[in-house]
Amino acid sequence: MPRAVIDELTGGLAPDQVDYNLPDGVFSTGVNVRFRDSSAEKCKGNMAVFGSLSATAIWANSIGDGTTSYWIYGSESVLYATDSNSHAQVSTTSYNAPTNLGYTGGDFHGFQILNDTVIAPQRWAPGLLNKVRDLDNWPANTFCKVIRPFGNFLVAMRVTQDGVYNSRLLRWSDAAAFGALPPSWDYTDPTNQAGITEVGNSEDQIVDGKALRDSFIIYKQASTFLMTPIGGLDVFSFRELFTESGMLTENCVAAFAQNHVVLSDHDVVVHDGSSMQSIADKRIRRAIFNSINPNRFERCLVVPNRRERQIYICIPESGNDFPNIAWVWSIPDNTWHKQELGGNISHADEGIVIGADLTIDGLVGTIDGLSGSIDEFSFTPFARRLVLFSGLLKKAVQQDTGETFDGTTMQCSLERSNMGLTRDVGSIKRVKRVFPKVIGTAGDSFRVYVGARTAIDSAVAYQGPFSFVIGSDYKIDCRVSGRYISLRFETSLTNSWRISGFDVEYDTGGTR
C-alpha cells in the first residue's frame, strides 16, 4: 500500500498559493503554530506583567538609567512610568496623542523623547520621581507629527511652522553632546548643524523614519529616501532610495542585522539601504492585506522579537479596533506563521521586565515535554522581552511565556489542503491511515480531520475529528476518498507539543 512520507516541515504557511502547487512541508493555513528545526510546534503564550496599569496604554517604551529599567506608557492624555512593580504619574500636563499613532520619539542619550503631535515635543529622564518636561531648546510656534533619534541628532518630520503644516517638511537639530540634549534647532545659525528640507517632489507625505547603520531612512507613503551625513555646511545629503515602496503607517518598520523590515501599503519588504526584496509575495501578502480592517489600518505596527529572531507584523483583522493577530516572519528559516495576540493590542515593544521569569513550579506539563531548555526563561539584566499592551484593558503581557494567553487556553490549528499524494490528478486516492509524528505530553490529544475533493476548486468534505492521543496512539484509521486530499490538525492544549512530520497511507483507484 503506497505511503506518502512528509518529514521536513520547513516551509511555513503560504495561503496565497494554489494548494496543489505547494511542496511537501508547506501548509495552506494555520494559527498559533510556528515552524523551526524542520518541525511545526505550538506557539508560546503570554502572561501579565507590571500588575494593573494606571491607564489603558496606547503607547509604551522601555528605557533605563544605567541601574534600573523602566517602562513609560500613556493614554491619550496622561503618562505613567513603572519599574515593573510600582507605578507613578510622570506627566504634569494633559496631552492629546492620537489613538492611531500614540506618541513618537525614542531613547536619546539617556532621555526618553516623546511627542503627542499637538504640543511641543517632551523629554523624560528615567525615574519614577521625575516628571516629563518640554524638550529643551525646541523652537517656538513649531510642532511635528513624528520625531525620531538619529545618532547625535533628533529628526522632526511633518512639521508645522508658524501655523503652516507641511507633510513633506523635515527638520533636524544641532548635534548633541554625549548625555545631553540638542543645544539648538536654529537652522539659520551657521555656527551649528541644525537644518531643514522638503523631502521629495511627490505629493505623498512623510510617514516615519528610522536609523539604519550610518544613515537615516525616511519613509513616505509611496517612496523611500536616504538621509546620509556628509559634513560641511550641508550636514546631510538626501536622495530617493526606492520609488515603488514606502510605509503603510507609522511604527511599521523593524530593524534586524543591519536591515529594515517594512510594511508598505501593498507588501512586506526587507532592505539594507541599497537593495530591497519582498518577503511576503507569493506566500502571505494577499492574506495580510485582505484581512486588515480598512477603518483601522493606521493601527498596524511592526516590532522585532529578537529573543526568538522573529519580526511581528501586527494587524487588526476585520471587526477589531486594534491588532489582534500577528503574521510572524522567522528570520533564520524564512518562514511565516500566523499567531494570535491574546486580545487587541495597541502597542508592542522590547525591553527588560524585572521579576517576570518563570519558575519550575509555574510551568505546566512535564519537564520532558518542554520544547525549550530548563533555564531558557531565567532572568538576566540583558533579557529583553517582547511586551504587548492591551488597547482595551489596563494590562500588559510578556510574549513567548507559558502555554496560554494569560490563563486562557490557546486554540491551535494547522491545515494542508489539496495534497495530490501522487501527480496523477485523475485517480481517486483512498486514505486508510494517517501517522502523525508528535512529541508532547502523554495523554494529551489531537483532533485530526481528513478531507477530500473531487475537483481542485470544490469544497472540502472533511471527516472527523479522529482522536490521536499522544503516548498511546501511533496512527488514526479512516476511510476518505477523493482526487485531492486535505489534512487538518487541531488542539486545545495547555502543554507544549511538536509535529515532526506525518505519513499518509492510501490506495489508488479508478478515475470515475
Side-chain angles (χ1 to χ4, degrees):
M1 183 176 294
R3 179 182 292 194
V5 179
I6 301 172
D7 283 341
E8 293 291 321
L9 309 186
T10 58
L13 299 183
D16 286 0
Q17 286 278 2
V18 176
D19 302 329
Y20 180 72
N21 292 332
L22 292 176
D24 292 342
V26 181
F27 290 85
S28 315
T29 60
V31 66
N32 297 328
V33 180
R34 65 184 181 183
F35 302 85
R36 64 176 180 180
D37 302 331
S38 301
S39 299
E41 64 182 26
K42 178 188 175 187
C43 291
K44 290 294 181 182
N46 56 47
M47 73 173 189
V49 290
F50 309 148
S52 177
L53 302 184
S54 298
T56 300
I58 63 167
W59 166 87
N61 196 56
S62 173
I63 187 172
D65 62 2
T67 302
T68 305
S69 294
Y70 298 95
W71 288 78
I72 181 171
Y73 63 93
S75 66
E76 291 87 345
S77 58
V78 187
L79 293 168
Y80 299 89
T82 180
D83 59 3
S84 296
N85 295 300
S86 300
H87 298 255
Q89 182 174 330
V90 294
S91 57
T92 59
T93 187
S94 180
Y95 299 103
N96 291 280
T99 303
N100 288 342
L101 175 57
Y103 301 81
T104 62
D107 187 348
F108 181 79
H109 288 190
F111 294 90
Q112 174 66 50
I113 306 299
L114 54 136
N115 176 58
D116 76 344
T117 77
V118 177
I119 64 174
Q122 308 282 287
R123 58 91 155 179
W124 179 64
L128 297 186
L129 298 179
N130 297 336
K131 300 300 183 181
V132 176
R133 295 170 45 186
D134 288 347
L135 179 62
D136 307 51
N137 306 310
W138 178 257
N141 301 317
T142 302
F143 311 96
C144 65
K145 296 296 185 183
V146 178
I147 189 168
R148 299 295 185 191
F150 172 43
N152 294 324
F153 299 86
L154 287 175
V155 181
M157 293 164 278
R158 291 168 25 211
V159 176
T160 297
Q161 291 188 167
D162 297 321
V164 179
Y165 172 66
N166 188 334
S167 65
R168 301 194 303 271
L169 193 63
L170 177 148
R171 290 187 63 168
W172 65 91
S173 69
D174 190 12
F178 178 76
L181 294 163
S184 176
W185 288 78
D186 185 1
Y187 56 84
T188 66
D189 183 353
T191 65
N192 72 53
Q193 294 181 286
I196 187 170
T197 190
E198 260 194 24
V199 179
N201 298 317
S202 58
E203 294 183 358
D204 58 327
Q205 69 176 20
I206 297 173
V207 177
D208 209 337
K210 192 176 185 67
L212 177 62
R213 295 193 299 274
D214 296 329
S215 298
F216 187 79
I217 309 299
I218 304 163
Y219 295 98
K220 300 184 72 178
Q221 291 171 315
S223 55
T224 302
F225 284 75
L226 192 69
M227 175 179 173
T228 305
I230 57 174
L233 293 177
D234 289 331
V235 187
F236 294 103
S237 69
F238 295 83
R239 68 177 178 88
E240 193 167 29
L241 186 60
F242 307 122
T243 59
E244 68 276 21
S245 181
M247 186 185 291
L248 176 64
T249 189
E250 299 89 353
N251 300 313
C252 282
V253 57
F256 82 95
Q258 309 301 315
N259 293 272
H260 279 182
V261 175
V262 187
L263 177 64
S264 74
D265 65 345
H266 64 282
D267 206 349
V268 182
V269 300
V270 60
H271 74 87
D272 59 3
S274 176
S275 60
M276 176 187 67
Q277 64 175 337
S278 171
I279 55 174
D281 195 34
K282 299 182 180 178
R283 290 194 288 176
I284 52 88
R285 184 176 64 86
R286 284 186 286 118
I288 289 178
F289 288 94
N290 288 344
S291 61
I292 293 176
N293 182 347
N295 298 316
R296 294 291 183 264
F297 77 91
E298 291 178 306
R299 297 179 183 176
C300 293
L301 58 96
V302 178
V303 63
N305 184 7
R306 292 181 179 87
R307 182 183 178 92
E308 297 294 329
R309 302 184 69 191
Q310 298 171 339
I311 303 293
Y312 277 48
I313 312 295
C314 303
I315 67 167
E317 292 183 305
S318 296
N320 291 271
D321 282 337
F322 294 94
N324 64 300
I325 66 102
W327 286 93
V328 183
W329 182 50
S330 172
I331 298 169
D333 301 321
N334 188 24
T335 60
W336 287 95
H337 70 268
K338 184 179 181 181
Q339 186 166 345
E340 293 176 324
L341 299 174
N344 279 214
I345 70 161
S346 56
H347 196 76
D349 196 15
E350 290 184 306
I352 294 173
V353 182
I354 306 297
D357 50 320
L358 292 176
T359 63
I360 295 297
D361 290 340
L363 298 174
V364 294
T366 62
I367 297 297
D368 291 340
L370 296 177
S371 58
S373 57
I374 296 301
D375 63 353
E376 181 177 356
F377 302 104
S378 297
F379 171 79
T380 76
F382 308 102
R384 297 179 64 85
R385 304 302 298 262
L386 179 60
V387 178
L388 314 178
F389 290 80
S390 172
L392 305 176
L393 304 170
K394 296 178 181 179
K395 182 179 180 179
V397 295
Q398 177 178 290
Q399 189 69 352
D400 287 307
T401 305
E403 302 295 339
T404 66
F405 292 130
D406 195 30
T408 300
T409 301
M410 186 186 305
Q411 308 297 319
C412 302
S413 66
L414 189 61
E415 180 176 355
R416 170 59 198 268
S417 299
N418 277 357
M419 292 187 295
L421 297 182
T422 71
R423 302 311 295 178
D424 178 9
V425 298
S427 65
I428 300 298
K429 292 84 178 173
R430 299 185 181 93
V431 177
K432 302 294 185 64
R433 299 174 187 87
V434 177
F435 300 81
K437 301 166 186 177
V438 181
I439 300 169
T441 301
D444 283 351
S445 63
F446 274 68
R447 299 182 297 276
V448 182
Y449 297 82
V450 184
R453 286 171 168 161
T454 55
I456 196 168
D457 58 349
S458 62
V460 179
Y462 271 109
Q463 293 188 27
F466 303 98
S467 178
F468 179 85
V469 180
I470 300 172
S472 299
D473 298 333
Y474 69 96
K475 64 179 176 65
I476 61 108
D477 295 308
C478 59
R479 293 289 185 270
V480 179
S481 298
R483 290 188 176 88
Y484 304 93
I485 302 300
S486 298
L487 196 59
R488 180 178 176 88
F489 300 96
E490 291 182 353
T491 69
S492 303
L493 301 175
T494 55
N495 296 315
S496 61
W497 51 261
R498 174 179 291 183
I499 300 175
S500 61
F502 55 88
D503 295 359
V504 180
E505 193 172 275
Y506 63 97
D507 284 332
T508 57
T511 58
R512 278 196 289 175

